[in-house]
């Protein structure tokens, strides 16, 4: 029986998933997007020197969810590291797509090439 002051905490494991572009869709061929639970993540220029056109997300990159209470009103971001890509093409942060442009106008991408040589 529930008593006053009782609480219940539900913790659901939400692993980061890589979604590979469909080979029949030219716009996402050879690209990958990131999801965690129902959240789609985006790479915003505000976090990458104003430019997202040179980013790539190799299969070897590690995507770690980190909750940041002090960022964009409190969101879970993905910190990205451990890739064979060059430092200039590896994104370091992905934010929930719903938070895009909350820091002003900025370029954004959801789909990134899986290899640095394919970034544009």
């Amino acid at each position: 029986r529930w008593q006053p002051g009782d609480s219940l905490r539900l913790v659901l494991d939400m692993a980061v998933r890589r979604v590979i572009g469909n080979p029949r869709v030219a716009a996402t061929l050879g690209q990958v997007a990131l999801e965690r639970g129902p959240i789609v993540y985006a790479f915003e220029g505000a976090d990458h020197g104003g430019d997202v056109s040179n980013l790539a997300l190799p299969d070897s990159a590690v995507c770690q969810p980190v909750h940041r209470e002090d960022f964009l009103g409190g969101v879970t971001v993905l910190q990205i590291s451990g890739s064979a890509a060059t430092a200039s093409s590896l994104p370091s942060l992905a934010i929930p797509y719903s938070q895009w442009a909350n820091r002003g106008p900025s370029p954004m991408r959801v789909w990134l090439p899986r290899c640095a040589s394919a970034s544009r």
Side-chain angles (χ1 to χ4, degrees), residues 1-2 7 9-10 16 22 24 28 30 34 38 44 47 49 60 64 68 70 83 94-95 104 109 116 120:
R1 293 188 173 243
W2 288 91
S7 65
R9 183 172 183 216
L10 178 63
V16 176
N22 187 313
R24 292 182 278 175
T28 61
L34 298 174
E44 188 173 18
D47 302 309
S60 59
Q64 180 68 39
R68 292 187 44 193
D70 63 333
S83 169
I95 63 170
R109 290 180 75 176
R120 37 186 147 104

Side-chain angles (χ1 to χ4, degrees), residues 79-120:
Q79 290 185 341
I80 301 166
S81 63
S83 169
T86 63
S88 63
S89 64
L90 176 69
S92 59
L93 186 73
I95 63 170
Y97 176 81
S98 62
Q99 298 301 311
W100 171 48
N102 277 293
R103 297 173 282 173
S106 180
M108 178 275 300
R109 290 180 75 176
V110 170
W111 294 94
L112 294 184
R114 294 173 70 187
C115 62
S117 62
S119 63
R120 37 186 147 104

Side-chain angles (χ1 to χ4, degrees), residues 47 66-77 79 93 95:
D47 302 309
V66 176
H67 187 73
R68 292 187 44 193
E69 201 61 45
D70 63 333
F71 188 64
L72 296 170
V75 296
T76 298
V77 299
Q79 290 185 341
L93 186 73
I95 63 170

Side-chain angles (χ1 to χ4, degrees), residues 20-44:
I20 306 302
N22 187 313
R24 292 182 278 175
V25 177
T28 61
L29 185 62
Q31 297 190 40
V32 64
L34 298 174
E35 295 179 347
R36 182 174 174 264
I39 308 296
V40 173
Y41 281 80
F43 303 90
E44 188 173 18

